[in-house]
Amino acid sequence: MSVQSHSGARPTLEDVAARAGVSRATASRVLNASPRVSPEAHEAVTAAVLALGYQPNQAARALVTRRTGAVAVVFSEPEPKIFDDPHFAWLIRSAARSLADADVQMVLLLVHSPEDMARAERFLAGGHVDGALMFAPHKGDQLPALARKLSLPVVYAGRPWGPLRGMHLVDHDNEGGGVLATEHLISLGRKRIAHVTGPLDEHSAMDRLAGWRSATGASDADVELLTEDGGFSREGGKQAMAALLARVPDLDAVFVASDLMAAGALDALREAGKRVPEDVAVVGFDDHPMIAPHTVPPLTSVQQDTSNQVRHMVTHLMRLLREEPIRARREVLPTVLVRRESA
């Protein structure tokens, strides 16, 4: 329970300074993490804060530090996709947890229409947040152009389109993951390996396709025959798998560029009377904990640790905010294959 000042009101900075036996300026420097204070003063002020239950006025602190204590998490996707796709739910949860661990408040912005973009620009330019984590995977996304206009530290998830000069990003090794998935299917003796892609206006989908193509040595004709875009949705994965089965009835394996699409592909295979993995082996991508272990059969998948990616993004952004030197603007995290019954 907080201890009130002698006046009965909420304790003030003056109360803290008086109890610690230091000037108000010294107390302020301690609370704003200034290095220009002695260890004795720091200890005295910290003890006074705890004894009085002092809570700093955030508006006043922002005037001194020019910090709001908030970070925007910005998604360039339609709202139904954000709230229906477990991948985005996991991203938001991870961002909220990682920012809370850094003692920072998350502000979620969903930007899809031109009106959303104008509103986001006003907000981000208005000094309401200290920086931003941006999820802008699609070709034509305006968020990178907006970020370049703002004097705001930004870290991207994955590789945005457009010039990368000056950008900071944390990505996964999507192409390497595509190679892992496909080479695993080859090692099982599979000969006719198809690929369900994500939307090819996203670098992650393009890179996973490149991994499949590299591992199979696919020609342009093979790409046209053996690949189908599933749109990173369950229904899209189901439709893509059905189209591939109609076009290539002798396929014996499929690498699917997301677990959500892979769940749809399993639906299509089941409806077509195909046994997994006996007739068709299936490998997904994400190793999403809400999907991969729970499909029938459980899904072999390339693991990209989304929580770890977000933690790295937050760490990177905090370093930018502290104006610390950063060696690498682009960090690429490894992927690994998690084997289950589907392959």
Side-chain angles (χ1 to χ4, degrees):
M1 179 172 167
S2 296
V3 179
Q4 292 186 325
S5 68
H6 57 80
S7 65
R10 291 178 63 83
T12 66
L13 183 59
E14 286 79 6
D15 296 325
V16 171
R19 186 178 183 98
V22 300
S23 69
R24 185 185 188 283
T26 296
S28 177
R29 283 195 292 272
V30 171
L31 293 174
N32 288 302
S34 170
R36 296 186 297 116
V37 292
S38 68
E40 295 78 13
H42 187 279
E43 184 177 347
V45 171
T46 301
V49 166
L50 292 174
L52 295 173
Y54 173 72
Q55 294 290 328
N57 183 304
Q58 291 300 322
R61 171 175 280 191
L63 290 174
V64 175
T65 64
R66 300 185 183 276
R67 295 282 179 83
T68 65
V71 162
V73 176
V74 191
F75 286 93
S76 179
E77 297 284 2
E79 288 184 17
K81 187 169 184 178
I82 293 291
F83 294 111
D84 294 346
D85 187 334
H87 174 68
F88 290 102
W90 198 259
L91 281 173
I92 293 169
R93 178 182 176 183
S94 298
R97 182 69 269 153
S98 295
L99 288 169
D101 289 344
D103 197 23
V104 173
Q105 178 63 46
M106 183 180 82
V107 178
L108 180 62
L109 299 182
L110 305 183
V111 179
H112 187 59
S113 68
E115 294 78 15
D116 293 339
M117 184 63 64
R119 192 160 47 248
E121 180 171 0
R122 290 194 302 271
F123 182 83
L124 294 172
H128 302 292
V129 294
D130 300 323
L133 306 177
M134 287 196 175
F135 298 78
H138 297 285
K139 188 175 184 178
D141 272 332
Q142 296 303 305
L143 280 178
L146 168 60
R148 291 187 192 99
K149 292 167 57 178
L150 303 172
S151 57
L152 191 72
V154 173
V155 178
Y156 291 89
R159 192 164 86 251
W161 289 82
L164 295 179
R165 184 178 180 182
M167 287 190 171
H168 296 266
L169 60 95
V170 180
D171 201 358
H172 279 104
D173 184 7
N174 289 290
E175 184 169 350
V179 170
L180 275 177
T182 310
E183 287 185 343
H184 175 61
L185 291 168
I186 293 170
S187 75
L188 298 177
R190 305 296 167 143
K191 304 296 184 184
R192 200 75 159 143
I193 303 171
H195 178 42
V196 176
T197 77
L200 295 180
D201 69 340
E202 297 191 29
H203 281 299
S204 62
M206 293 173 62
D207 290 346
R208 293 169 199 180
L209 169 61
W212 168 85
R213 186 169 187 173
S214 172
T216 58
S219 66
D220 290 344
D222 292 331
V223 170
E224 186 173 348
L225 177 68
L226 291 168
T227 67
E228 192 75 25
D229 183 351
F232 278 153
S233 73
R234 181 167 187 154
E235 184 59 30
K238 180 178 180 179
Q239 292 177 5
M241 189 73 250
L244 285 168
L245 286 170
R247 198 160 65 231
V248 192
D250 62 336
L251 68 83
D252 59 2
V254 59
F255 162 44
V256 188
S258 81
D259 288 351
L260 190 61
M261 291 193 300
L266 290 170
D267 293 339
L269 289 165
R270 188 161 42 249
E271 290 180 10
K274 298 287 187 179
R275 298 170 301 160
V276 177
E278 292 85 354
D279 300 325
V280 180
V282 180
V283 176
F285 200 110
D286 291 330
D287 192 37
H288 196 291
M290 295 170 62
I291 301 174
H294 306 294
T295 58
V296 180
L299 185 65
T300 293
S301 185
V302 176
Q303 183 183 81
Q304 55 169 359
D305 189 336
T306 299
S307 297
N308 187 46
Q309 180 187 23
V310 172
R311 283 194 298 271
H312 279 254
M313 291 172 68
V314 170
T315 297
H316 204 97
L317 183 61
M318 294 302 107
R319 288 175 178 168
L320 289 175
L321 293 175
R322 292 192 296 265
E323 299 182 353
E324 295 178 3
I326 298 176
R327 285 186 298 175
R329 290 182 178 272
R330 182 184 178 195
E331 185 177 8
V332 180
L333 304 175
T335 52
V336 297
L337 186 75
V338 178
R339 301 183 184 190
R340 299 188 182 89
E341 286 87 336
S342 72

